[in-house]
Amino acid sequence: MARRLLFEHINVPGINTFDVYRQQGGYRAVERALKSLSPDDVVEEVKKSGLRGRGGAGFPTGMKWSFLAKPEGVPRYLVCNADESEPGTFKDRYLMTHIPHLLIEGMIVSSYALGANTSYIYVRGEMMPQIRILEKAIAEAKAAGFLGKNILGSGFDLELYVQPGGGAYICGEETALLESLEGKRGNPRIKPPFPAVSGLYGCPTVVNNVESIAAVVPIVNEGGDEYAKIGIGRSTGTKLISASGNINKPGVYEIELGVSVEDFIYSDEYCGGIANGKRLKAVVAGGSSVPILPANLILKTVNGENRLMTYESLSDGGFATGTMLGSGGFVVLDEDACIVRNTWNFSRFYHHESCGQCSPCREGTGWMEKVLHRLEYGHGTMSDIDLLVDVAKKIEGNTICPLGDAAAWPVASAIRHFRDEFEWHVTHPQEAQKGNYGLAHYADPLPAIAATV
Amino acid sequence: MSDKVKVTIDGISVEVEPGTTILNAARQIGGEIVPPAMCYYSKLQGSGGKCRTCLVKVSKGSEKDPRPMPKLVASCRTTVMDGMEVENITSPEVVEARKGVVEMLLINHPLDCPVCDQAGECSLQDLGFEHGAAQTRYEFDRRTFERIDIGDKIQLHMNRCILCYRCTYVADQITDNRVHGVLGRGDHAEISTYIEQAIDNDFSGNVIDVCPVGALTDKTFRFKNRVWFTKPVDAHRDCPTCSGKVTLWYKGEEVIRVTARKDEYNEVEEFICNTCRFDKKNTSDWVIEGPRAIANTSVISSNHYETLKPLPVIQQNPALMAANKEEFERTKKS
């Protein structure tokens, strides 16, 4: 059984209540940090741990914290990004539902490290039950003296607020989240200035994912060096993976970074193999935004090495043959899945969620969605496929926020790896309405790379 | 030593105040190297960064940190650093990206310039002419909206809107209370006054002037005449609310429209009040100063566009000549 840090006590009955959580050793990190560590020590521990942002981009959390500007007389804010809306990702919701005190403990320690006296948890509007759970947990923690004025006699004050969002995907982008939190329309801001300099209400702000903040708790409990021993290379620690799709055991799994993708899909400890005895066709490894990979490329890198669940191994091969760990939304597609339909579905989502601020994303996402719809329903032409590649290229990198990239990558990668299937939809429009292209050659072993001179 | 910073755009150096944006530095140089801007408006604080037509490549960040910027940046919102080197039309990547943005702006914009009141003074028309493709690749229905009257003098036609947000910034900054915003999201977002409330403000008419396209038009002028058949004349009057400096647009001896004075980048010099704009349409109300100088790139003044004279650096470089091929060919037709 692999090591679990965040979900160690997830199966203890009543772990969502303060008393049980405390009995299981909860809030030790708060005691340790506030009584024996200075804020800078905590930042140093997080830096040593090598923790990387769990929201998708994988930016080192410790470094993000050390960039926070600290001008005199200006409040600083910590904002927890719980606006989890990426299709295929549901780890934060699971964490907040079952072990809310872990997030609150992480918020207290992180706020202490950053010197924030007011912190916010921005939760997506659809997650009303989780908002209630968090509010109840905050009230419990406050009653026990872990929140409010002069926590544990250390002189550190902290007020924690839960703010429901309006349910827009774009508000998961950190600057759009801050706009929304300020009560404005959730449009991403133009960077620079970055939130570390001018964030919430123009004050220095750190925005972190739920899981990143929760991971601070084991880091403070056990020390950054201990945490860094788990994992491989620059991918340290454990990661929550939301596994879904055509697998036997969908759910949220905590893995040590470095488990091989093959193990993760087929071992009984995790996904337990493909459901109904089907064969694996493709995997979206990190939530809908990351490039989709066919079975042969997800299990082995182009160099013939086993692909591992780490930031580096998954992105091995760049955009040509790799993908990204992203937010850990692991969607498995079996041989009956239609890649064109899947791509259209993702595109439809991005079209619906584009904020409409900058033109390439506003117009381009809708355009891609319409072309993909046409292809899926058998009215496409061969030139549509090249058109999609071209439109995706013109969106990517030319927008204010990463939503444009996130909309372009799945389309570009699906065409890169599954061009045959798109062409089949054009050449066999009738059959495409009734059946599927099937597995074809997508699981064939990769050809050995010819030695290059 | 002055505290000015030196920036090089397409091989031309200029010294500007620290904090200047790349776009404004380029405007100080002038000419073909100025990136086009659809949403940025120098008189409106916070505008810009949205349309992405002004994307440029920063090939050298600064003297201290010479690394290039990883992505193309919006020149209207990126400030210059000392020693920065910027490529605009000398970068095939930028020319390509700009073409892409123009195409995106046009996919939901009706291509019916002959019946649009803005034709002849439309920034998108110019942009499409200079950077767009000859044909559209978009084969779907364009989004459509009903026309909305904002008060009795202004009409909003969302079909033509490119969501530059300029008019909302006017509402925010020129007028006292916010009456104008954006509803909805994505390509179905729309400019609205919410339940079609009339904008009741002395300066509301300026939304017409800042609109780069024909989405917001003056109902007292709509379809009275094509702008290139009118004669612009500078004039002023003693106005208690604004500066009173305007341009009168004559048809024969009749003043058919009053606007603020626009510069070569289609930005007004000073905002004018609604009384001047809508109610003073007699020559006797005004003191005439003389003919309005309109940039000779404008169809209003000369009925043809200026030909593109490529910079020496482009003429010597076959790759750059190829990247700008469409632009050159277009200007050869007279």
Side-chain angles (χ1 to χ4, degrees), chain B residues 5 16-22 24 78-81:
Chain B
V5 295
V16 296
E17 296 291 332
T20 312
T21 59
I22 297 173
N24 281 331
T78 311
T79 51
V80 297
M81 307 290 264

Side-chain angles (χ1 to χ4, degrees), chain A residues 3-7 44-54 61-62 210-240 254-257 311:
Chain A
R3 188 112 190 261
R4 287 162 149 206
L5 294 175
L6 304 180
F7 286 173
E44 202 50 42
E45 287 297 325
V46 175
K47 265 189 183 174
K48 272 196 279 183
S49 74
L51 174 68
R52 291 171 65 171
R54 301 295 195 223
T61 305
V210 170
E211 192 190 342
S212 312
I213 288 175
V216 172
V217 173
I219 289 170
V220 170
N221 278 337
E222 307 191 13
D225 289 325
E226 275 301 310
Y227 188 85
K229 283 179 191 161
I230 307 169
I232 294 177
R234 287 180 58 231
S235 302
T236 59
T238 63
K239 171 92 185 80
L240 302 182
E254 180 168 12
I255 60 160
E256 289 184 22
L257 288 169
Y311 290 95

